[in-house]
């Protein structure tokens, strides 16, 4: 193998790492920290657009209290905390 070919392969791997793999890992880490910081009483928005308040929490699931009633869903279905969005305005 020529040294220039090896250098091109190494550069391609580095580009894939910094443009694809690393940002995805950072996003996943940020999402886990967000899920861990949730607590009962937080007002939230789910990824499907449902607004509500956390009524109960387990390790992986939550119960969201909405105007229509209570809905049990996965923690990963939460998009953002409503009070965080209101505080940003």
């Amino acid at each position: 193998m020529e040294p220039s070919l090896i250098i091109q392969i190494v550069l391609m791997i580095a580009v894939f790492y910094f443009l694809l793999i690393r940002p995805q890992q950072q996003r996943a880490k940020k999402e886990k920290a967000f899920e861990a910081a949730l607590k009962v009483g937080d007002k939230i928005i789910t990824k499907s657009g449902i607004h509500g308040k956390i009524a109960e929490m387990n390790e992986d699931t939550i119960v969201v209290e909405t105007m229509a009633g209570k809905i049990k869903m996965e923690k990963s279905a939460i998009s953002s905390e409503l009070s965080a969005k209101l505080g940003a305005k």
Side-chain angles (χ1 to χ4, degrees), residues 34 38 43-47 78-82 85:
F34 171 73
L38 291 172
K43 293 181 180 180
I44 54 134
I45 301 174
T46 66
K47 291 181 181 176
I78 298 173
S79 171
S80 61
E81 186 180 351
L82 193 58
K85 282 192 167 196

Side-chain angles (χ1 to χ4, degrees), residues 8-22:
Q8 287 177 346
I9 291 172
V10 169
L11 285 174
M12 190 181 316
I13 290 170
V15 166
F16 274 115
Y17 177 76
F18 285 108
L19 293 179
L20 298 174
I21 298 168
R22 191 165 178 253

Side-chain angles (χ1 to χ4, degrees), residues 15-55:
V15 166
F16 274 115
Y17 177 76
F18 285 108
L19 293 179
L20 298 174
I21 298 168
R22 191 165 178 253
Q24 181 63 30
Q25 289 174 338
Q26 289 176 336
R27 251 178 277 150
K29 189 176 182 181
K30 196 175 187 180
E31 190 170 318
K32 275 201 177 283
F34 171 73
E35 288 176 11
L38 291 172
K39 58 191 178 299
V40 174
D42 285 348
K43 293 181 180 180
I44 54 134
I45 301 174
T46 66
K47 291 181 181 176
S48 61
I50 298 171
H51 292 237
K53 184 169 75 170
I54 298 176

